[in-house]
Amino acid sequence: MTFKIQDIDPEVDFPALTRCFFESYEDPPQKFFHVFFPTHGTGIEAREEALIEASERLKLWHTHDPTSRWQKIVDTETGRIAGGALWHIHEENPFASPQPATVTWFPAGGSRTFVEKALENHVRPRSKAAQQPHIYLFIIFTHPDYRRRSIGQQLIDWGIKKSNKTGLDIFLDATPYGRPLYEVNGFEYVEENVNVPLTENPDDAWKEMEEKVGPFTFWLMRRPARRGESNPKT
Ligand SMILES: CC(C)(COP(=O)(O)OP(=O)(O)OC[C@H]1O[C@@H](n2cnc3c(N)ncnc32)[C@H](O)[C@@H]1OP(=O)(O)O)[C@@H](O)C(=O)NCCC(=O)NCCS
């Protein structure tokens, strides 16, 4: 099997890319995923609606954000998307002015407030440590059918090359599953982030979210740029 890294085609790729993304985060399941990409309800229909909503939103975010760079990995024998990554190349400090998240993917009320708090908590360590131009790895995934075949590595290599060329450090928020990949690529731990959204008056929608998502932990990691160097893994 051979795999090729390519820029995505935003007009064509988001539905298949999003399906691959969902299936990657479902195996093993990661509860925090619901905060960013929810399935409202149960059953096949609800899941298909969630995929459509996520695909349209990812496309909108990408096409309206000049810092956004999506790569996909394609299985050259079948044409199937095997993995992907979304980077943000911040040539200016993105935290120079406050940018509260606009959560459109939950209805107004307790569930939306919960997600707003969760996102605020999620970004807090980086908003302190990365007050500078930098590269942010927002999303990375390899489909379960293709794990441990250096697909994650190919995606990381793209960002490291960019970092070493531009002199911009890379930051990311690691899940437990991403940590080994980042450790072997010279990322250092900055801060553990145990995310527990809090409110004084939780309504039923908030409590439902709390039960579904629970506290979730990410680790902020950083890889300093090494101008002119190639990735140590390659
Ligand atoms: C994290 C993830 C992208 C890794 O993708 P992958 O394509 O399987 O990783 P690679 O094959 O490129 O791994 C490269 C190296 O990273 C390390 N590594 C990757 N996954 C590992 C694991 N599960 N256990 C131990 N080491 C691992 C190894 O050193 C590996 O090299 P090796 O296979 O020669 O030993 C994938 O597990 C995934 O999609 N997980 C679910 C989504 C997720 O949590 N993404 C991370 C968000 S921060």
Side-chain angles (χ1 to χ4, degrees):
M1 261 186 212
T2 51
F3 302 104
K4 203 169 159 193
I5 187 163
Q6 293 174 342
D7 288 344
I8 62 152
D9 178 345
E11 291 311 316
V12 175
D13 282 331
F14 276 108
L17 193 67
T18 306
R19 194 171 291 275
C20 179
F21 176 42
F22 270 51
E23 289 174 1
S24 301
Y25 277 84
E26 284 162 0
D27 186 2
Q30 302 197 54
K31 290 202 289 181
F32 82 89
F33 193 73
H34 187 71
V35 165
F36 291 92
F37 298 99
T39 298
H40 299 294
T42 51
I44 294 171
E45 217 170 283
R47 182 181 151 77
E48 289 306 309
E49 276 171 24
L51 279 161
I52 291 168
E53 187 279 325
S55 168
E56 287 172 353
R57 179 153 49 92
L58 286 169
K59 181 177 175 184
L60 193 78
W61 283 352
H62 178 65
T63 51
H64 286 73
D65 182 350
T67 73
S68 179
R69 302 279 186 288
W70 263 107
Q71 263 70 45
K72 63 180 176 182
I73 299 276
V74 177
D75 177 341
T76 55
E77 279 163 34
T78 61
R80 188 177 166 198
I81 294 180
L86 170 58
W87 302 83
H88 289 282
I89 315 291
H90 293 297
E91 285 169 1
E92 287 167 20
N93 173 11
F95 303 112
S97 53
Q99 290 162 336
T102 314
V103 177
T104 55
W105 53 100
F106 276 90
S111 54
R112 182 181 286 180
T113 318
F114 181 94
V115 170
E116 283 166 352
K117 288 267 180 206
L119 297 184
E120 222 176 279
N121 292 344
H122 186 67
V123 81
R124 188 173 298 116
R126 184 168 61 101
S127 71
K128 288 192 220 141
Q131 286 271 354
Q132 61 194 72
H134 65 273
I135 296 173
Y136 182 57
L137 176 58
F138 180 28
I139 294 174
I140 184 167
F141 56 89
T142 299
H143 192 277
D145 292 349
Y146 295 100
R147 298 240 165 103
R148 297 306 285 270
R149 294 184 205 182
S150 299
I151 285 175
Q153 187 60 53
Q154 274 199 65
L155 292 162
I156 285 286
D157 283 347
W158 184 93
I160 290 180
K161 210 167 146 198
K162 191 71 123 184
S163 164
N164 288 346
K165 195 170 164 201
T166 57
L168 300 175
D169 296 352
I170 306 177
F171 286 83
L172 57 81
D173 294 290
T175 64
Y177 307 104
R179 288 172 53 175
L181 173 64
Y182 309 136
E183 284 172 2
V184 295
N185 281 285
F187 283 79
E188 298 154 2
Y189 289 95
V190 178
E191 192 174 326
E192 183 182 59
N193 187 6
V194 183
N195 197 327
V196 189
L198 294 172
T199 186
E200 297 209 336
N201 300 305
D203 63 8
D204 286 348
W206 174 288
K207 286 183 196 158
E208 207 179 296
M209 283 298 287
E210 213 166 34
E211 205 167 298
K212 192 158 190 176
V213 177
F216 56 93
T217 302
F218 276 82
W219 289 265
L220 179 66
M221 299 182 84
R222 171 192 200 140
R223 186 185 190 279
R226 299 172 192 156
R227 267 191 187 276
E229 262 187 46
S230 58
N231 176 15
K233 284 275 288 177
T234 56

